[in-house]
Amino acid sequence: MESLLTDSPAGFNLTIDDNQKMIGQMARDFAEKHIRPHVMEWDETQHFPVDLFKQLGELGMMSVFVPEEYGGSGFGYFEYVTVISEIARVCGAIGLSVAAHNSLCTGHILAFGNEQQKQRWLPKLATAEWIGAWGLTEANTGSDAMGMNTTAILDGDYYIVNGSKNWITHGKSGNVAVVMVRTGEKGDSKGISALVIEKGTPGFTHGKKENKLGMRASETTELIFDNCRVPKENLLGLEGEGFKQAMKVLDGGRISIAALALGIAKGAFEAAVAYSKERKQFGQAISNFQGISFKLADMATEIEAAELLIMQAADLKNRRQPVTKQSAMAKYYASEVAVRTATEAVQIFGGYGYTKDFPVEKYYRDAKLCTIGEGTSEIQKIVISREVLK
């Protein structure tokens, strides 16, 4: 058993066991065999490879922390971070979709669903027979989630849902979505509820697919609700608890995006190291030049620091300790590191780094999403400062 950090002042004791190593190797092998050969093809065509996710489901990577009784793998957050980062090392878009399915839709139902709801939806999500989506953001309410306009009005045994959601991962191909809706006054955190809405429900459709800078193999669309009748038994928890639930889900989701950023950073860094050893200028490898080697030193240091922040947050999550500050720190730092690392990787590749024939331009495009999705870097600073100033 290899110790990364023991008896730190924060009481953080991290070890990597054989199970994590095995899962990491499985994710790495799968990504190299089934993802890497198609990375640029899927990126160029914006193809969302549904069948690939079903393969990942068969290996238990679409249900990392779902208990075995619901068909999941029953692992913890260390294993989860390992899976996401290893897949993102090869393709950030696939890593993003795996993260969104695990931590948002599936994670929300697991955390707040009753037993009947868990039995109904988790087994299908665990195997990726069903792909999951999660809806909070709207066109005019990004960071200001409490100002949402999508409403759900109780009518007998059904909620009548009207409105739309934007930037929804798997909005078109998803089979089920957890959607935050307004059941009370706008701006009231207790006026928001969470509903599970299945594909095929009358009045539930998807809108346009976004044409994105990066993460192009991860599907992003609108969700549209037009007098959509949702059975009231699809309410997660109690009416008015949706905002509080969503914030708790995002605490875990921020670890997901941090792990995603870590994988992208590692992929870009490894490509830069390999190229710097191969590329010759002035009669020697460019890795021999201080200007290049110092870039690599900075990249390596920041990646290791990001990984330790992520693992600290994962450790707290595993122990069911408060994780708001640590997950925000991990997400903020790792996502900014991913952008810096990918930028420097392009610089090391020079002109070749600016072309699609070499891998780093895609890492460069994919990395930026990590500073925006599931709370911008600016929102993370607000979360961190509030925690620090308590």
Side-chain angles (χ1 to χ4, degrees), residues 264-275:
I264 292 169
K266 285 183 175 182
F269 172 71
E270 288 163 3
V273 169
Y275 182 79

Side-chain angles (χ1 to χ4, degrees), residues 273-298:
V273 169
Y275 182 79
S276 73
K277 291 178 179 178
E278 295 166 3
R279 174 69 168 170
K280 300 287 196 300
Q281 291 287 275
F282 307 102
Q284 58 185 309
I286 63 171
S287 59
N288 291 336
F289 300 125
Q290 191 177 83
I292 300 297
S293 65
F294 278 18
K295 286 182 189 294
L296 295 172
D298 286 340

Side-chain angles (χ1 to χ4, degrees), residues 96-303:
L96 173 62
S97 279
V98 174
H101 177 93
N102 269 284
S103 74
L104 297 181
C105 180
T106 306
H108 198 140
I109 294 170
L110 178 63
F112 298 105
N114 59 38
E115 186 58 31
Q116 185 179 7
Q117 291 169 334
K118 291 177 184 178
Q119 293 285 357
R120 180 178 172 185
W121 290 303
L122 288 181
K124 290 179 179 178
L125 288 165
T127 60
E129 176 188 345
W130 280 17
I131 302 292
W134 192 79
L136 175 64
T137 301
E138 298 182 4
N140 297 313
T141 59
S143 300
D144 180 19
M146 284 191 293
M148 69 174 59
N149 293 311
T150 299
T151 58
I153 298 172
L154 190 60
D155 177 26
D157 292 333
Y158 292 85
Y159 282 98
I160 311 301
V161 182
N162 283 285
S164 63
K165 296 291 178 178
N166 279 48
W167 311 112
I168 307 305
T169 305
H170 314 147
K172 177 183 176 182
S173 299
N175 304 91
V176 63
V178 176
V179 182
M180 266 44 69
V181 294
R182 187 158 56 79
T183 50
E185 294 299 315
K186 185 182 284 192
D188 180 5
S189 65
K190 294 180 180 178
I192 294 171
S193 304
L195 291 174
V196 182
I197 309 179
E198 295 183 9
K199 189 175 187 176
T201 302
F204 177 27
T205 57
H206 66 85
K208 67 167 184 163
K209 184 175 180 177
E210 302 294 346
N211 187 11
K212 307 193 300 282
L213 169 72
M215 303 291 196
R216 289 166 61 83
S218 179
E219 177 186 277
T220 307
T221 75
E222 294 175 297
L223 296 180
I224 299 169
F225 306 96
D226 182 9
N227 289 319
C228 178
R229 294 175 64 83
V230 181
K232 68 179 183 181
E233 62 261 28
N234 288 22
L235 177 72
L236 292 174
L238 300 175
E239 192 171 287
E241 291 183 342
F243 186 78
K244 182 171 69 174
Q245 291 176 10
M247 293 305 102
K248 289 183 179 178
V249 168
L250 285 174
D251 274 348
R254 285 167 181 152
I255 299 173
S256 300
I257 301 299
L260 179 68
L262 177 67
I264 292 169
K266 285 183 175 182
F269 172 71
E270 288 163 3
V273 169
Y275 182 79
S276 73
K277 291 178 179 178
E278 295 166 3
R279 174 69 168 170
K280 300 287 196 300
Q281 291 287 275
F282 307 102
Q284 58 185 309
I286 63 171
S287 59
N288 291 336
F289 300 125
Q290 191 177 83
I292 300 297
S293 65
F294 278 18
K295 286 182 189 294
L296 295 172
D298 286 340
M299 292 155 79
T301 302
E302 290 193 337
I303 287 169

Side-chain angles (χ1 to χ4, degrees), residues 25-58:
Q25 190 63 53
M26 179 177 68
R28 193 175 307 127
D29 291 345
F30 182 92
E32 291 294 338
K33 182 177 180 180
H34 298 286
I35 300 174
R36 194 178 292 281
H38 307 288
V39 164
M40 290 312 297
E41 171 199 347
W42 292 343
D43 181 77
E44 292 282 333
T45 62
Q46 299 192 74
H47 174 63
F48 179 62
V50 174
D51 289 344
L52 179 87
F53 295 102
K54 300 202 183 293
Q55 289 179 270
L56 285 163
E58 290 173 7

